[in-house]
Amino acid sequence: SSGINAECPLRPGLFMNPKPMEPLEMVNTVWTLSWNYFIYNYLGGWALVYLLSGTLLGMGLHPMAGHFISEHYTFVKGQETYSYYGPLNMLAWNVGYHNEHHDFPYVPWSRLPKVKEIAPEYYQMPSYSSWSWVIYKYITDPEIGPYSRIKRNVSNKPGAKPVVADSDKKAE
């Protein structure tokens, strides 16, 4: 509660598919801003800078944090999800087997490599072997950014098919 949630309003998901704020989210926002105010007044602005820096550095440039970007950002136009087949899967409980997870959400993470082994023909699509490369491309490629995601327009009407549209344009 001490400033860590301060960056949540900056998440692209809130712009891509906005939802009305729920009462508990309002309570959380007031609680977080109250703590930020308390920290600022009693510990100074550098304390807030320290908390925000720790959050950004803890999830930012560390190679393991590359999976946050690699899973759903569109590096290849039209491909919605990506898998990572590198050595860090051993440390990340196979979180890199992301396409396999979407195909079989009830298969435990420990068994996802077996899914790819059994049916490799279904996973012959762009994937990653380095989360560090993903972070590098995200920072340096001007075509990739917070809006490089797929937005689904889903109708609630029975029998309606979802329309998938690239979200290269900023949300209106």
Side-chain angles (χ1 to χ4, degrees):
S1 306
S2 54
I4 293 179
N5 291 335
E7 77 282 352
C8 285
L10 304 176
R11 292 181 59 206
L14 296 176
F15 298 110
M16 301 294 298
N17 190 14
K19 295 179 176 85
M21 190 176 266
E22 297 287 327
L24 282 178
E25 291 172 310
M26 288 184 231
V27 169
N28 183 48
T29 300
V30 169
W31 180 258
T32 300
L33 292 175
S34 299
W35 272 104
N36 287 340
Y37 178 80
F38 174 82
I39 291 168
Y40 179 79
N41 282 322
Y42 290 97
L43 301 174
W46 285 108
L48 287 177
V49 169
Y50 172 79
L51 291 172
L52 184 61
S53 298
T55 299
L56 295 175
L57 291 174
M59 290 182 41
L61 298 176
H62 191 280
M64 294 287 279
H67 86 85
F68 293 114
I69 299 169
S70 72
E71 292 171 354
H72 290 286
Y73 283 83
T74 54
F75 284 73
V76 176
K77 210 166 198 54
Q79 183 171 338
E80 190 171 2
T81 60
Y82 299 84
S83 285
Y84 159 79
Y85 302 121
L88 292 177
N89 270 325
M90 291 185 296
L91 300 174
W93 299 295
N94 292 324
V95 74
Y97 288 87
H98 200 69
N99 285 319
E100 294 81 351
H101 162 68
H102 276 262
D103 290 345
F104 301 99
Y106 297 108
V107 172
W109 288 105
S110 61
R111 304 284 192 254
L112 289 174
K114 192 73 169 168
V115 170
K116 184 176 188 267
E117 182 184 320
I118 291 170
E121 64 275 12
Y122 291 101
Y123 300 103
Q124 297 299 319
M125 57 183 71
S127 61
Y128 305 113
S129 59
S130 170
W131 279 327
S132 297
W133 180 88
V134 169
I135 294 171
Y136 173 78
K137 288 296 285 182
Y138 184 79
I139 293 170
T140 61
D141 189 338
E143 297 294 316
I144 301 169
Y147 297 99
S148 300
R149 298 182 62 123
I150 302 253
K151 179 179 180 181
R152 293 178 170 267
N153 298 322
V154 180
S155 172
N156 290 332
K157 296 177 184 172
K161 294 182 182 178
V163 176
V164 179
D166 282 323
S167 58
D168 291 335
K169 299 175 207 128
K170 294 189 184 336
E172 287 110 35

